[in-house]
Amino acid sequence: MPDGYGLLHAEGEGGTRVTLATADVEYVRALAGASPEILAGLELPQDKFLSRAGWPDDWT
């Protein structure tokens, strides 16, 4: 059982919003500390995250 979960709220091209969840909290912390230049165009490993369309405030 993981010690917690990390969530990323991302925007794709055209403003598409997505929430990504992972049990790798340290990975999310590293991303949170990265500069915008590093994050621009970054492709995240799909096997590390579960994805859900929208951000939590979009969900009904």
Side-chain angles (χ1 to χ4, degrees):
M1 179 67 101
D3 290 333
Y5 295 92
L7 296 178
L8 294 175
H9 297 132
E11 283 190 30
E13 293 182 25
T16 304
R17 294 171 18 153
V18 64
T19 297
L20 304 169
T22 182
D24 191 342
V25 176
E26 291 304 316
Y27 189 80
V28 173
R29 285 184 181 140
L31 291 174
S35 70
E37 293 81 19
I38 291 174
L39 295 175
L42 178 70
E43 291 189 34
L44 298 173
Q46 292 182 2
D47 61 335
K48 187 176 281 291
F49 292 93
L50 296 175
S51 175
R52 180 162 182 188
W55 292 349
D57 59 335
D58 299 330
W59 303 336
T60 56

